[in-house]
Amino acid sequence: MRRILILLMLLPVTGWTASLPPEFVALYDFERGRLAIGETRIGLERSQDDIYRYWSESKATGFVSIFVDDVIKEESLFRWEDGRLWPVSYEYRQLNSSKNRSEDIIYDWTDGVAKVNYRGHESVVELAPGTLDRFLVQLAITVHSQDGALDRTYPIVDNSRLKTYRLQSGDIETVTTPAGTFETLRVERIDEDKDKRLRLWLAPELGYLPVKIEQEKLNEETLRLVLKKLETKG
């Protein structure tokens, strides 16, 4: 009961509702372990033909940029219909890198398949209802959290395979970032691989946008995004 009351208190009285957030651009500090190595911009915008673009761009900054000039870009195009995200396409690029990590996905909902080109290898993946890509699922978590749907599974097209992401809500935590101090709900991905952890800290006052994201892998330093600035439209 106490948990339910806390969640109700955290719900914003005004602002975003349980729907897509307004168009925004969020700037995050990108950290590896205790070292700040770059910044990431994540944005949402709507085109005239009602196709939404959810995108991110990450690059090194400061001293690290002298040695690393990679730029990582992700883009998911989707439609918003009947309260659901319907992916249209996904693109991943790592620019200025000698390694080919590119991935392209085209969704064909009529035939129920996704056409994937991963590192130059083409394949076809059968779609389950509600399938997303590994980037668009971040926005889906924001949307579904507003309705209180915090513990759920997502079918995800990832590296030419259909995988299942299972999320579990955690504790209410206060998180301080360069953008301010927020009361947040921690959400964690429960992975079959026990050596991996993904955690998001969602701020209800920002429509459940994440103010911090952490990715942990065994024997590797933790990767972290921390909200620095948020600009919204509408």
Side-chain angles (χ1 to χ4, degrees), residues 123-138:
S123 61
V124 176
V125 178
E126 291 189 10
L127 295 174
T131 298
L132 303 169
D133 58 67
R134 63 174 181 265
F135 179 53
L136 189 57
V137 70
Q138 294 181 18

Side-chain angles (χ1 to χ4, degrees), residues 4-123:
I4 295 175
L5 291 175
I6 291 175
L7 287 173
L8 290 174
M9 291 171 63
L10 287 176
L11 288 173
V13 177
T14 60
W16 298 349
T17 59
S19 60
L20 280 181
E23 295 176 271
F24 70 86
V25 176
L27 176 62
Y28 293 84
D29 285 329
F30 184 22
E31 303 173 355
R32 182 187 294 273
R34 297 180 179 273
L35 179 65
I37 62 173
E39 64 180 25
T40 297
R41 294 181 185 273
I42 299 177
L44 175 67
E45 56 190 48
R46 181 179 184 178
S47 66
Q48 294 182 348
D49 56 0
D50 287 335
I51 296 291
Y52 288 85
R53 176 176 177 255
Y54 185 54
W55 60 269
S56 75
E57 180 176 310
S58 301
K59 60 182 180 181
T61 57
F63 181 75
V64 178
S65 64
I66 299 176
F67 306 97
V68 179
D69 62 353
D70 291 14
V71 177
I72 298 175
K73 294 186 176 183
E74 284 187 277
E75 177 183 279
S76 295
L77 302 182
F78 67 95
R79 293 185 181 276
W80 174 253
E81 297 177 359
D82 302 323
R84 291 179 58 185
L85 298 158
W86 291 89
V88 174
S89 65
Y90 167 77
E91 180 180 293
Y92 176 93
R93 293 290 184 271
Q94 185 168 349
L95 309 179
N96 304 325
S97 174
S98 60
K99 297 180 180 180
N100 178 15
R101 294 189 172 95
S102 65
E103 183 172 14
D104 294 274
I105 304 173
I106 301 296
Y107 295 84
D108 185 341
W109 290 102
T110 301
D111 291 338
V113 297
K115 300 174 183 178
V116 183
N117 187 314
Y118 177 57
R119 297 186 176 185
H121 300 285
E122 296 184 351
S123 61

